[in-house]
Amino acid sequence: MTEENSSLNFIEQIIADDLAAGLSPDKLRFRFPPEPNGYLHIGHAASICLNFGLGEKYNAPVNLRFDDTNPAKEEQEYVDAIKRDIQWLGFKWAIECYSSDYFQQLYDWAIQLIKEGKAYVDGQSAEAMAEQKGTPSTPGVAGPFRDLSVEENLNLFQRMKDGEFEQGSYVLRAKIDMTSPNMLMRDPILYRVVKKAHHRTGTDWCIYPMYDWTHGESDYIEQISHSICTLEFKMHRELYDWFLDQIIDPAKLRPIQREFARRNLSYTVMSKRKLLELVQSKTVSGWDDPRMPTISGLRRRGYTPESIRNFSDLSGISKRDSVTDVSLLEYCIREDLNKVATRVMGVLDPVKLVITNYPAGKTELLVSENNPEDPNSGTHELPFSGELYIEREDFKEEAGSNFFRLTLGNEVRLKSAYIIKGESVVKDTEGNILEIHCTADLDSRSGSGTEASTRKVKGTLHWVSIQHAITAEVREYDRLFLDEAPDSNEDKNFMEFVNPDSLKIISKAYLEPFLADAKVGDKFQFQRLGYFTLDKDSSAEKLVFNKTVGLRDSWAKQKPTPTAQSNPSNSQKSNPKPAQDQQVRSAINEIQKIAKKYTNLSGDKLAAARADIARLAEEVSYEELEPLFQTAAKKVGTRIGAMITLGVLLNKGQARNSEIEAFIAAGLSDENELLVEEAKVVGSGQ
């Protein structure tokens, strides 16, 4: 196998083999065939990215074909939503077509099958037909309608078409083999009666073709070269081929069906029926509720097309069903928003902070960088005054050495502003803090160039000026389900695992005034809080922001660490954590210090630096390392140091997870050769 072929996924390898065997490249054509009975979800994104990605790779057309053969469940609303989602993801289809476009041709072919003795009308009940089909270990038997004459079948089928029969009374079945080991070949249904108006054909038809009959014949009509389905259709491939055998013109291209594993995601459900139940029960506000795994829900929450396409690439194409951890999807959106989101400040749980030595009534306009990842992103003005809001959790009257935010008698820096020192508090009669009074080092303004401005303090806080702040509603979203696999429990309904705290509404958050001009869909990083996007519910009078994702995976902290599991005796030691934490902090800080200069080294100095990082990594825990996975791309030295450290942890038994895999994948695709080489070393242990 060539190096080029070794990098292909198995679907691409099939296509490469077909081309090598003589298939002309101009015969390649793909399709994405959704049923318009619900909104597309993240699982469908895998098929979208695969099919349209193949089209881009091979410069081949990709059809968008709606499988609209069941008017009882399909609506124009879903058609419109599906088209909107695909376009938003950045893909263009060659032809927009519908299975209903082929109703007449499918009907004509069904008549042909009847005339050839390969199809018959069956008037038995569904229960009787199921019983006669047998079981996987016992053959089926012929029913009383199987040997009707061609004339009788044509008459009954015409009467089905004319609407003489009620739903469920008659069906048209293919006559194949009632003893086949593949039960799908035991005279499958071709047509059934459905007396409901179709969203495109109205009441022209009251008989509708089944998916299996429609699927392959539609592929053939459109001359699709590779019909790519999910794994549950693998057993259908024999039937797909049998149906084609009955109508194929040898002079035309014959489609082939191939299957890949559908994408499942932890902490969610992927069944459209179950998603519809969430909507109809009003557990969520609609198909585009930001907690839903639908593409429209993810878009509203603040996900970008790039993040979903990257997620599809990292997840890969597999032959076996598996569950992808939702943290990989969250990693992808963090990576993308880190590069494009404007940095702003907002306070969600405010407490008043008064700078007692700041001139009364004075306002300064500070300069705030829009995005340190993008040197061309520019800056915006940030008003500062002597009365601010900070987060309530960022202050404690007294705290231990591990609290690096504001306390009485200690200093912190206000982001882009001054170093302040906590002096006193004002409380109400119940002891609740109303105000924090502090003093500022007025020579320490960030960027002023003074000696005081370069002074180092341990903590940095975000803030907003009370006088200038605007208010907004903020919606904080958590995972919709508490269980990793909510629909896999045999004894409980998936609805029992709904997270009652999946939505927290903060009715009055305080934001810097720059956000007053935000447009729906604009994306921001609220510094130290996470990524947010302006929701469609916003108006000129009331801004509404959705939290897309936090800066780190908060759920990972809820899982026991390998160290804690392997050494339970730690819990019996007296106060081991402060000294241990200090040692770990020192090691991780030393690694960062060495790594910052890593790309400027060469020869023996480079080798010595790598050895020092590997030695220090022995003292680092995964919990301390994981935040470095989010290091800015331009800080490549730190990312190399993190990769070397990760290799040490993996060798010590650290379990791989989706964030680790994503970090390795990002390293492999980096432009820096040193990082790529380290990622190869770490990845080789997979």
Side-chain angles (χ1 to χ4, degrees), residues 193-450:
V193 177
V194 181
K195 291 189 174 180
K196 184 174 177 60
H198 188 277
H199 69 100
R200 294 185 74 242
T201 62
T203 56
D204 291 350
W205 296 86
C206 63
I207 55 171
Y208 290 91
M210 300 297 289
Y211 176 81
D212 279 324
W213 172 237
T214 308
H215 175 206
E217 309 330 76
S218 298
D219 287 341
Y220 174 62
I221 292 170
E222 296 172 20
Q223 288 291 275
I224 301 301
S225 61
H226 295 79
S227 179
I228 303 169
C229 306
T230 45
L231 274 182
E232 65 265 32
F233 292 101
K234 187 170 185 177
M235 290 295 292
H236 295 243
R237 194 199 297 179
E238 184 180 3
L239 182 57
Y240 180 98
D241 288 335
W242 190 91
F243 282 147
L244 285 179
D245 287 341
Q246 312 315 309
I247 54 92
I248 197 79
D249 180 348
K252 293 186 176 181
L253 181 143
R254 181 192 179 103
I256 60 169
Q257 177 181 304
R258 291 296 182 264
E259 307 83 19
F260 73 103
R262 68 164 59 237
R263 179 163 300 142
N264 297 302
L265 200 64
S266 64
Y267 293 100
T268 190
V269 295
M270 304 297 255
S271 158
K272 282 194 280 189
R273 177 183 60 80
K274 292 175 181 177
L275 294 176
L276 179 60
E277 185 175 343
L278 289 169
V279 174
Q280 292 178 334
S281 65
K282 300 191 183 303
T283 303
V284 296
S285 61
W287 285 98
D288 68 344
D289 187 296
R291 293 166 291 180
M292 291 279 273
T294 55
I295 295 174
S296 58
L298 292 168
R299 177 170 63 245
R300 184 176 176 186
R301 184 157 173 169
Y303 277 75
T304 61
E306 294 78 11
S307 67
I308 293 177
R309 292 178 69 159
N310 188 36
F311 171 70
S312 293
D313 289 342
L314 290 176
S315 299
I317 302 301
S318 172
K319 295 181 180 181
R320 297 182 180 180
D321 283 329
S322 60
V323 177
T324 301
D325 197 304
V326 69
S327 62
L328 179 60
L329 178 62
E330 293 167 350
Y331 164 84
C332 290
I333 187 59
R334 286 191 192 98
E335 283 287 286
D336 192 40
L337 291 182
N338 183 51
K339 292 180 282 189
V340 301
T342 300
R343 273 52 167 175
V344 296
M345 287 197 277
V347 176
L348 307 187
D349 183 18
V351 62
K352 186 176 181 179
L353 184 142
V354 179
I355 304 175
T356 56
N357 66 330
Y358 192 82
K362 179 180 178 180
T363 294
E364 286 183 87
L365 291 178
L366 306 179
V367 176
S368 182
E369 190 176 15
N370 285 340
N371 190 329
E373 299 296 311
D374 180 3
N376 299 316
S377 62
T379 61
H380 66 272
E381 291 183 335
L382 177 63
F384 182 86
S385 67
E387 294 188 347
L388 313 172
Y389 283 132
I390 64 170
E391 295 289 348
R392 189 171 294 276
E393 68 173 18
D394 281 346
F395 173 78
K396 289 184 179 180
E397 288 184 77
E398 297 179 0
S401 59
N402 290 331
F403 187 76
F404 299 112
R405 288 169 272 182
L406 183 62
T407 61
L408 295 181
N410 288 326
E411 290 184 322
V412 295
R413 177 173 289 281
L414 295 174
K415 177 70 177 174
S416 302
Y418 298 93
I419 294 173
I420 60 171
K421 180 179 180 181
E423 303 288 356
S424 63
V425 294
V426 177
K427 299 182 180 180
D428 63 16
T429 56
E430 297 179 354
N432 300 309
I433 295 174
L434 299 177
E435 296 181 3
I436 304 163
H437 288 195
C438 64
T439 54
D441 180 347
L442 298 179
D443 290 329
S444 66
R445 180 166 58 83
S446 296
S448 63
T450 65

Side-chain angles (χ1 to χ4, degrees), residues 266-268 291 301 303 325-328 330 334 476-486 497-503 547-561 622-623 626 657-659:
S266 64
Y267 293 100
T268 190
R291 293 166 291 180
R301 184 157 173 169
Y303 277 75
D325 197 304
V326 69
S327 62
L328 179 60
E330 293 167 350
R334 286 191 192 98
E476 292 190 312
Y477 296 99
D478 204 345
R479 296 177 185 175
L480 186 55
F481 294 97
L482 296 170
D483 191 88
E484 286 189 80
F497 297 104
V498 169
N499 180 3
D501 300 316
S502 61
L503 172 60
K547 184 174 183 178
T548 305
V549 69
L551 296 179
R552 289 178 176 80
D553 182 2
S554 61
W555 280 68
K557 298 177 182 178
Q558 302 175 24
K559 301 176 182 178
T561 66
Y622 175 74
E623 290 68 37
E626 189 271 334
N657 58 35
S658 58
E659 291 196 341

Side-chain angles (χ1 to χ4, degrees), residues 502-554:
S502 61
L503 172 60
K504 175 186 176 183
I505 297 178
I506 300 170
S507 58
K508 197 172 186 180
Y510 293 88
L511 313 177
E512 63 170 275
F514 175 74
L515 288 165
D517 296 326
K519 303 294 188 298
V520 172
D522 284 354
K523 293 162 178 58
F524 304 91
Q525 184 195 102
F526 287 11
Q527 299 205 49
R528 300 179 64 237
L529 298 177
Y531 295 98
F532 295 76
T533 190
L534 192 66
D535 188 72
K536 68 177 185 178
D537 286 346
S538 296
S539 65
E541 296 74 30
K542 180 183 178 182
L543 298 180
V544 178
F545 285 90
N546 296 326
K547 184 174 183 178
T548 305
V549 69
L551 296 179
R552 289 178 176 80
D553 182 2
S554 61

Side-chain angles (χ1 to χ4, degrees), residues 177-196:
D177 182 0
M178 290 298 290
T179 64
S180 171
N182 183 350
M183 292 191 66
L184 294 170
M185 300 296 288
R186 297 181 186 179
D187 293 10
I189 296 174
L190 294 171
Y191 275 88
R192 78 284 200 199
V193 177
V194 181
K195 291 189 174 180
K196 184 174 177 60

Side-chain angles (χ1 to χ4, degrees), residues 657-684:
N657 58 35
S658 58
E659 291 196 341
I660 289 175
E661 300 295 355
F663 181 60
I664 295 171
L668 290 170
S669 62
D670 200 271
E671 295 179 356
N672 185 277
E673 293 181 358
L674 290 173
L675 178 54
V676 172
E677 287 303 314
E678 293 296 342
K680 286 180 179 177
V681 172
V682 176
S684 64

